């Protein structure tokens, strides 16, 4: 029986996210066409593939001939002409995406999935005037998507159920962890959680409680460590001891709710923003960007390796000698 060949992918937008998607798709054997108006597109692709290859290899992927599967395209139409899947990574602007997806709908084959890496804009905000919106939906990753597994799959008002199912199957096929969100909401789930935490982090730094590096140290050595393994709800359930989340809610909930009232709302003025930038640059500005990202990625790979290690027996499964 012949093996089904991998789908052909088009990546529109070759910034940090688009180049990361490109490397991931190619590492899974896909032919990838990349489109971006940047004049150094070919060089940017080559550099990104070279940087991502060792990280992809550590995830068990065969990266031999990685660059042979990727070709820059002269324009968007050429990139998507034979695509089975299109991953858009353009500017975070609804008008821009509306114009771009009007081109994608016309130029891509009728069966092609049209996915957007939009960080905050739901697809219904830019598909209202399109004739064929049933195959358009959000596939929002976290940076860099060739390392961070989550993809938020968010259908729009006109997205078909078939497109959602195909998107989930596609992202699983490239080793990602897709989660389908039931309602459109600006920022989706991941970025809303990130922004809520960032708001309080900015408030604490602004009030002189801690420095940026001290706050990062607190997160890495407590909540970040815990949430990377179990998430906030299971973490709270376990924090309640044998009584679980009920015990936590009944005994600590009242004090937590009082704390909500004291959470900060930074003013976001230009002066405040400059103070925050100066504080972060004072903490981290002396180290090159490449060095910091390499250290981040090495740590993320180590966490992923731990999370992917099965240390338990599946429920109701008998242990066999």
């Amino acid at each position: 029986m012949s093996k089904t060949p991998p789908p052909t992918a088009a990546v529109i937008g070759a910034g940090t996210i688009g180049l990361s998607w490109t490397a991931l798709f190619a590492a899974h054997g896909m032919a990838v066409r990349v489109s971006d108006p940047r004049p150094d597109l070919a060089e940017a692709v080559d550099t990104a593939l070279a940087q991502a290859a060792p990280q992809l290899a550590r995830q068990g992927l065969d990266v031999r001939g990685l660059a042979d599967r990727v070709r820059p395209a002269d324009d968007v139409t050429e990139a998507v002409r034979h695509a089975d899947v299109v991953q858009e990574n353009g500017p975070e602007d609804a008008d821009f995406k509306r114009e771009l997806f009007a081109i994608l709908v016309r130029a891509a084959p009728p069966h092609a999935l049209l996915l957007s890496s939009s960080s905050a804009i739901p697809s219904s905000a830019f598909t209202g005037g399109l004739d064929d919106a049933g195959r358009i939906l959000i596939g929002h990753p976290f940076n860099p998507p060739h390392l961070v597994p989550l993809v938020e799959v968010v259908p729009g008002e006109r997205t078909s159920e078939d497109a959602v199912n195909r998107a989930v199957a596609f992202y699983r096929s490239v080793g990602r962890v897709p989660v389908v969100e039931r309602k459109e909401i600006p920022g989706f789930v991941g970025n809303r959680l990130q922004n809520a935490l960032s708001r309080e982090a900015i408030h604490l730094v602004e009030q002189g409680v801690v420095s940026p590096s001290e706050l990062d140290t607190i997160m890495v050595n407590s909540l970040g460590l815990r949430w990377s393994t179990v998430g906030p709800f299971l973490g709270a359930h376990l924090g309640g001891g044998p009584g679980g989340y009920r015990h936590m809610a009944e005994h600590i909930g009242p004090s937590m709710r009082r704390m909500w009232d004291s959470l900060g709302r930074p003013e976001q003025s230009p002066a405040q923003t400059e103070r925050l930038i100066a504080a972060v640059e004072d903490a981290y500005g002396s180290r090159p960007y490449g060095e910091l990202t390499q250290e981040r990625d090495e740590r993320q790979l180590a966490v992923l390796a731990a999370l992917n290690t099965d240390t338990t027996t599946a429920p109701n499964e008998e242990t066999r000698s």
Side-chain angles (χ1 to χ4, degrees), residues 246-267:
R246 177 178 295 278
H247 178 82
M248 177 71 76
E250 291 176 349
H251 291 268
I252 302 179
S255 64
M256 294 296 291
R257 286 189 289 273
R258 286 193 295 271
M259 195 183 302
W260 291 348
D261 294 333
S262 70
L263 294 177
R265 300 186 67 88
E267 60 184 73

Side-chain angles (χ1 to χ4, degrees), residues 31-104:
V32 186
R33 301 301 306 275
V34 187
S35 173
D36 192 290
R38 60 188 296 174
D40 65 338
L41 178 58
E43 294 81 3
V45 168
D46 289 343
T47 299
L49 294 179
Q51 291 175 343
Q55 300 168 341
L56 292 163
R58 285 177 59 180
Q59 297 177 65
L61 296 171
D62 186 354
V63 296
R64 292 174 296 182
L66 192 66
D68 296 336
R69 293 191 283 275
V70 180
R71 290 196 320 172
D74 291 335
D75 55 38
V76 170
T77 299
E78 180 189 342
V80 305
R81 183 173 292 124
H82 302 294
D84 300 305
V85 177
V86 177
Q87 185 79 46
E88 175 269 331
N89 313 277
E92 196 70 5
D93 180 277
D95 291 334
F96 176 90
K97 292 186 186 296
R98 186 177 298 109
E99 294 179 7
L100 176 59
F101 273 87
I103 297 172
L104 298 180

Side-chain angles (χ1 to χ4, degrees), residues 195-284:
N195 286 341
L197 182 60
S198 294
R199 188 175 77 176
E200 183 62 16
I202 291 169
H203 172 72
L204 292 169
V205 169
E206 188 180 48
Q207 295 299 308
V209 179
V210 286
S211 69
S213 62
E214 289 166 342
L215 190 135
D216 286 347
T217 298
I218 289 169
M219 281 297 303
V220 168
N221 291 280
S222 60
L223 296 178
L225 176 64
R226 178 185 296 164
W227 289 349
S228 72
T229 57
V230 296
F233 278 116
L234 179 53
H237 181 63
L238 297 176
Y245 194 83
R246 177 178 295 278
H247 178 82
M248 177 71 76
E250 291 176 349
H251 291 268
I252 302 179
S255 64
M256 294 296 291
R257 286 189 289 273
R258 286 193 295 271
M259 195 183 302
W260 291 348
D261 294 333
S262 70
L263 294 177
R265 300 186 67 88
E267 60 184 73
Q268 294 287 298
S269 67
Q272 182 271 339
T273 300
E274 283 301 319
R275 289 195 300 270
L276 183 63
I277 291 171
V280 174
E281 289 180 342
D282 183 60
Y284 299 117

Side-chain angles (χ1 to χ4, degrees), residues 262-319:
S262 70
L263 294 177
R265 300 186 67 88
E267 60 184 73
Q268 294 287 298
S269 67
Q272 182 271 339
T273 300
E274 283 301 319
R275 289 195 300 270
L276 183 63
I277 291 171
V280 174
E281 289 180 342
D282 183 60
Y284 299 117
S286 62
R287 298 181 61 190
Y289 172 79
E291 179 182 308
L292 289 169
T293 54
Q294 181 176 0
E295 182 177 287
R296 176 201 66 191
D297 293 345
E298 288 293 319
R299 291 180 176 183
Q300 289 184 159
L301 281 166
V303 172
L304 285 171
L307 290 173
N308 290 330
T309 301
D310 186 5
T311 59
T312 61
T313 301
N316 302 321
E317 180 179 89
E318 294 183 357
T319 303

